Each structure stands twice: as structure tokens, then as C-alpha cells.
Amino acid sequence: MIRLKNSAQLALMQESCKLTVAALYEGASIIAPGVTLGEIDLKIRKFIEKHGGVPSFLGYAGFPKSSCISVGDVVIHGIPGNQVLKDGDIVSIDVGAYLNGFHGDCARTFPCGKISPEAERLIQVTKDSFYAGLSKACEGNRVGDISAAVQTAAESAGFSVVREYIGHGVGQDLHEAPDVPNFGVAGKGPRLYAGMTLAIEPMINAGKKEVYQMPDGWTVRTMDGSLSAHYENTVAVTRDGAKILTEL
């Protein structure tokens, strides 16, 4: 069942989303060669808790940390620990925070030091593909319009779209209906209505689309070892178009 949020609920959700994105950038502020992923995660957790929130990911289906931090060929669900960042890495940080009865969810990919031109382009195209999808998140459209726009933007730039992991509704629960794939056919899927809140989150690979999960049960890597980037926002569908809730 798709849950529509009223104006009062959206106002509460806006606060959880603001906390989420602020926590993400708090963690990203210390990205540098020599920093561990665990240090970034701890900074994110302390920031969320300091501001009265709860890390959405901590303990979710057994996930052991407060954020997912994925480096290089790790697509999503990287478990932050003792891994040390090095110059040239690209670092995807995915954060959720629960406040006022609602979750926010967002992700960004950041450079660590000087990165390759290919990596820079991958990060930019992943962001662009999100905004292509966002432009279709309008009342009366369908989920497939978002999906097709993301896919077209990524593939026309020569990159590939991960199939196994997708966006989703978000609100009182971290994952709600509907599913929001990053690939698909325009005009298909559930109709979009004002009050829907969606996590639109392109996961784009520099190489082929195939991925695999590591034995830890969480970490997902590209099959061919190519770089991957992630860009996500929580978005509200309104009568005046799409509104990004996870903006500073």
C-alpha cells in the first residue's frame, strides 16, 4: 500500500530529511587520505543522536553500522570499519535518520583527494541521472517515467544501471511502496500522486551492470571491478512538482 502524506506529515518529514542530509555532509567533511570509514560512520552517528534522531540503518535487518560507506567498486551497503581511504578513491555515503516519526534517506559520492577524469565524470553523470528522474516525479506521471529518465541519462553517457537494487517509497518506514527502479519503460508502473514520498537513487557503474554480494551478506560490488557511484534524495511529489526534502 502506498502511503500519501498530508501537509503536517510532510512538515515533520522535512525535519527528519534535513537531519539526514546534514549528517551525511558532517561525515563527508572528514573524507581524506588516511581517514578510516569507521571514523566517518562514528561522526555521522554522533551527529544524528546529538540532534535527537536515531540512525535508520543501525540494526536494520541486522546491519551493524549507522551509515553505508562504499568505496571504489563497491556499489552499496559497504560496512564502515577499519578500511583506510587513499588518494584517488571515490566514496559513496548513504545515510538514513529517523526523527518525528519519519525517516529521511539520501546518498552522495565524493572524491578523496585527486580522482581520475573517468571517476569525476561517473559522479557527475550519476547526479545528472537523478535530476533526469526528478524531472518526471510529477503528479499524474508514473513511476516508469522516473525510471526511464534515469536509465536514458546514464546509458546515453556510456554508463550502466544496476538492476538488482532500486529506489523505494520512504516515510514512517524506511522502505515503503512503491518500488522505484532506475530502469524501465515510460508510462508504466504506479501512478504518482501528491503526497507520495520517494527515495530516488541511481546506482551507476562505469563498466557493466552486473554486481555481486560479498560473503558478509551486505557489501555489493561490481562484477567487473569497475567504479560505481550513488546519488539519492528523498523527494515529495506535490501538486507543484517534485520537491527534494534532503537538501541543506
Side-chain angles (χ1 to χ4, degrees):
M1 181 183 70
I2 296 174
R3 298 173 179 170
L4 302 182
K5 284 76 174 179
N6 60 35
S7 58
Q9 291 173 317
L10 285 174
L12 291 173
M13 193 166 171
Q14 177 79 81
E15 294 305 310
S16 64
C17 286
K18 285 182 177 179
L19 174 58
T20 304
V21 69
L24 185 152
Y25 280 100
E26 181 76 7
S29 70
I30 63 169
I31 290 175
V35 173
T36 69
L37 304 191
E39 289 173 313
I40 297 171
D41 180 74
L42 182 60
K43 195 169 182 66
I44 290 168
R45 178 176 180 173
K46 286 183 174 180
F47 186 89
I48 292 172
E49 292 176 343
K50 176 183 176 181
H51 290 85
V54 176
S56 299
F57 300 170
L58 185 61
Y60 183 82
F63 190 75
K65 296 291 182 175
S66 298
S67 61
C68 300
I69 306 181
S70 306
V71 179
D73 67 334
V74 178
V75 181
I76 51 168
H77 300 164
I79 301 172
N82 295 326
Q83 181 179 349
V84 178
L85 292 175
K86 62 182 185 301
D87 188 63
D89 282 335
I90 63 170
V91 186
S92 297
I93 302 178
D94 190 358
V95 176
Y98 184 74
L99 181 72
N100 297 329
F102 292 92
H103 295 271
D105 194 1
C106 64
R108 304 283 190 274
T109 301
F110 300 94
C112 179
K114 183 174 176 57
I115 64 174
S116 69
E118 178 197 36
E120 288 181 350
R121 184 165 174 268
L122 173 64
I123 292 171
Q124 184 61 52
V125 168
T126 303
K127 179 179 179 179
D128 292 344
S129 68
F130 164 81
Y131 279 98
L134 180 73
S135 71
K136 302 298 182 180
C138 305
E139 187 174 36
N141 280 357
R142 293 187 179 271
V143 168
D145 297 314
I146 299 172
S147 305
V150 171
Q151 182 178 8
T152 297
E155 293 181 349
S156 65
F159 296 123
S160 63
V161 178
V162 172
R163 300 301 202 268
E164 290 84 350
Y165 300 90
I166 60 177
H168 50 89
V170 59
Q172 289 99 328
D173 293 325
L174 182 59
H175 291 92
E176 298 182 351
D179 290 343
V180 186
N182 296 306
F183 59 95
V185 179
K188 301 293 185 179
R191 183 80 65 184
L192 301 178
Y193 293 96
M196 292 174 70
T197 47
L198 309 173
I200 301 173
E201 52 174 321
M203 289 154 270
I204 307 301
N205 297 344
K208 296 180 179 180
K209 66 180 183 296
E210 288 77 17
V211 301
Y212 69 100
Q213 189 178 71
M214 298 290 287
D216 62 22
W218 287 102
T219 307
V220 176
R221 310 185 89 104
T222 59
M223 189 71 74
D224 60 7
S226 63
L227 296 176
S228 188
H230 189 188
Y231 196 94
E232 175 187 20
N233 280 302
T234 298
V235 172
V237 178
T238 79
R239 290 186 173 83
D240 299 318
K243 179 182 179 182
I244 298 175
L245 301 180
T246 43
E247 282 188 321
L248 289 176

